[in-house]
């Protein structure tokens, strides 16, 4: 393989001797342009592989058969593959804009369409490969690691949005305050989903394995209200909390916090006017009944069968999709069950929904 010259000039790209299966001169010229553009930029030890990748992409486009690239072994890095596809598309567009073509323009158009088909096939293949990893023995750990990396930047976004919206960094106009609330709301929803995904990947009840400790129910409910306050204010909703007479209890604070935050976030998501109530009522000397009640439209009958399923199979396609209620209810039900209780609900069209559970929380 050629190396660098004494003057330090980049090595010459490996020449293509032929393009079997490619008869279009415009496509051939575009491939050669991409060859001269990309191959010299990769590591010398990988230049031959890059040339083979480019030939495979060209063949997949010329024959409109993505299988030529999908079945290529060994697989090339996705970053390089997408770079080659983008460069080839740009080269074809340049050829189109330069003037008369030695082949009908409809043929070049077919090449551009084939490139988009190739990109779609690569995305589907990558999704299938990732799904195979997730379904493998280390799939849960992989999912937890991927989602865990999302939480730190999301936490920073939440903190900065709340700081700016509160005017602690300077005056804020009404429009800016509304925009910051929208940023905060979006980041909070993503943060909740990330936390639920991690919890679900680890079995859905890992938070319930903590040691019971003393905590304040009032502080727990008020903290949840403060977290979701920007969402409620943006939608014009009121959040009401009801606390028990005996405030300090012994129990699993983190698990309760996750369940109640999920239920309140879901209630705010589906409620567009009125109130969301977060209630903690004494159900006995050592028991507390927690409930989240909203004034939303109620749960549609068609959604009842998938209410506690984190994924559902689409009717028209053989693919899984997130349930409309997300992962929150699935995680919440598992955590409540781990606390020795049962998550229940009642709903009526146009009259809202109430989720509740009763658990053992002795006074401290």
């Amino acid at each position: 393989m050629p190396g660098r010259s004494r003057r330090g000039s980049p090595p010459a790209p490996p020449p293509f001797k032929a393009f079997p299966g490619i008869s279009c001169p415009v496509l051939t010229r575009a491939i050669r342009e991409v060859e001269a553009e990309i191959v010299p930029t990769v590591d010398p030890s990988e230049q031959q592989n890059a040339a083979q990748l480019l030939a495979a992409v060209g063949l997949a486009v010329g024959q409109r058969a993505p299988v030529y690239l999908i079945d290529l072994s060994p697989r090339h890095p996705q970053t390089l593959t997408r770079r080659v596809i983008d460069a080839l598309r740009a080269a074809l567009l340049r050829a189109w804009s330069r003037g008369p073509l030695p082949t009908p323009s409809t043929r070049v158009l077919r090449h551009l369409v084939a490139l988009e088909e190739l990109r779609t096939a690569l995305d589907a293949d990558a999704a299938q490969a990732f799904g195979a990893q997730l379904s493998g023995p280390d799939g849960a750990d992989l999912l937890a690691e991927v989602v865990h990396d999302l939480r730190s930047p999301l936490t920073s976004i939440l903190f900065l949005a709340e700081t700016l919206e509160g005017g602690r960094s300077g005056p804020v106009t009404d429009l800016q305050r509304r925009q910051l609330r929208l940023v905060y709301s979006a980041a909070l929803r993503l943060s909740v989903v990330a936390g639920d995904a991690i919890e679900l990947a680890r079995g859905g009840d890992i938070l319930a394995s903590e040691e019971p400790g003393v905590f304040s129910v009032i502080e727990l409910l008020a903290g949840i209200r403060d977290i979701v306050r920007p969402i409620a204010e943006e939608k014009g909703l009121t959040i009401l909390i009801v606390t028990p007479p005996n405030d300090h209890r012994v129990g699993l604070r983190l698990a309760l916090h996750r369940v109640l935050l999920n239920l309140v976030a879901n209630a705010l998501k589906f409620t567009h006017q009125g109130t969301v109530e977060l209630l903690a009522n004494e159900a006995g000397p050592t028991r507390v009944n927690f409930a989240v009640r909203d004034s939303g439209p109620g749960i549609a009958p068609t959604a009842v069968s998938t209410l506690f399923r984190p994924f559902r199979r689409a009717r028209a396609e053989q693919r899984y999709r997130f349930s409309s209620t997300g992962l929150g209810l699935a995680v919440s039900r598992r955590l409540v069950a781990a606390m020795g209780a049962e998550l229940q609900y009642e709903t009526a069209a146009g009259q809202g929904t109430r989720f509740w559970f009763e658990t053992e929380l002795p006074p401290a």
Side-chain angles (χ1 to χ4, degrees):
M1 183 172 297
R4 286 190 176 275
S5 67
R6 293 181 180 179
R7 295 182 180 181
S9 59
F16 282 104
K17 295 181 179 179
F19 293 111
I22 301 176
S23 59
C24 175
V26 176
L27 180 58
T28 300
R29 186 186 308 163
I31 294 174
R32 293 192 181 279
E33 288 182 11
V34 175
E35 175 190 16
E37 172 188 346
I38 290 181
V39 174
T41 66
V42 302
D43 187 88
S45 62
E46 294 295 325
Q47 287 183 354
Q48 188 62 43
N49 289 334
Q52 292 173 353
L53 169 63
L54 183 55
V57 170
L59 188 60
V61 172
Q63 298 291 328
R64 293 194 70 169
V67 66
Y68 286 115
L69 183 61
I70 300 298
D71 291 346
L72 195 63
S73 181
R75 285 294 184 90
H76 296 279
Q78 286 194 19
T79 303
L80 179 60
T81 303
R82 294 181 186 280
R83 183 183 171 196
V84 167
I85 291 175
D86 290 340
L88 187 56
R89 179 177 182 273
L92 287 172
L93 290 174
R94 284 196 302 269
W96 190 314
S97 64
R98 276 195 294 256
L101 298 171
T103 187
S105 59
T106 53
R107 192 174 185 183
V108 179
L109 181 60
R110 285 198 298 270
H111 295 331
L112 292 170
V113 172
L115 277 171
E116 295 307 314
E117 294 173 348
L118 182 59
R119 188 191 301 273
T120 300
L122 284 173
D123 290 342
D125 184 67
Q128 184 177 3
F130 185 66
Q133 284 183 290
L134 290 180
S135 61
D138 300 323
D141 291 336
L142 174 63
L143 176 61
E145 289 180 11
V146 170
V147 180
H148 188 274
D149 289 340
L150 298 175
R151 294 213 292 186
S152 292
L154 286 172
T155 301
S156 300
I157 294 172
L158 286 170
F159 173 76
L160 292 172
E162 186 178 21
T163 300
L164 293 171
E165 191 264 340
R168 292 191 290 275
S169 299
V172 180
T173 66
D174 290 341
L175 176 60
Q176 290 171 333
R177 181 170 289 105
R178 182 182 180 189
Q179 291 170 337
L180 288 168
R181 287 173 181 170
L182 292 173
V183 171
Y184 183 93
S185 301
L188 178 60
R189 290 194 180 100
L190 287 173
S191 181
V192 170
V193 170
D196 289 339
I198 293 174
E199 185 68 17
L200 195 63
R202 294 173 176 171
D205 57 1
I206 192 69
L207 289 176
S209 63
E210 63 172 324
E211 290 295 325
V214 178
F215 68 95
S216 165
V217 177
I218 293 177
E219 291 180 1
L220 175 68
L221 302 190
I224 293 173
R225 179 185 58 188
D226 291 342
I227 290 174
V228 300
R229 174 186 57 82
I231 300 177
E233 290 179 350
E234 176 58 29
K235 299 186 72 172
L237 301 174
T238 301
I239 299 179
L240 303 176
I241 62 173
V242 174
T243 57
N246 293 315
D247 178 26
H248 288 85
R249 302 277 176 159
V250 178
L252 305 178
R253 181 189 177 280
L254 291 179
L256 283 170
H257 185 277
R258 168 61 63 185
V259 171
L260 295 175
L261 178 59
N262 282 344
L263 295 178
V264 172
N266 249 9
L268 289 171
K269 178 181 178 181
F270 294 105
T271 303
H272 305 292
Q273 60 181 2
T275 60
V276 171
E277 297 176 274
L278 177 54
L279 309 99
N281 296 307
E282 289 191 350
T286 62
R287 298 184 68 80
V288 177
N289 183 290
F290 291 96
V292 174
R293 181 167 56 202
D294 64 61
S295 58
I299 301 172
T302 55
V304 170
S305 61
T306 60
L307 196 59
F308 293 102
R309 296 180 188 174
F311 306 98
R312 60 180 173 83
R313 188 179 290 278
R315 294 180 180 178
E317 302 171 346
Q318 295 301 310
R319 293 189 300 175
Y320 281 102
R321 293 181 176 179
F322 284 113
S323 169
S324 60
T325 54
L327 306 176
L329 288 181
V331 171
S332 298
R333 184 171 67 168
R334 294 189 186 188
L335 286 173
V336 169
M339 290 186 284
E342 180 184 1
L343 182 59
Q344 304 179 67
Y345 74 95
E346 59 184 7
T347 185
Q351 299 181 30
T353 302
R354 181 173 77 100
F355 282 89
W356 81 95
F357 61 95
E358 185 179 305
T359 187
E360 188 79 13
L361 284 183

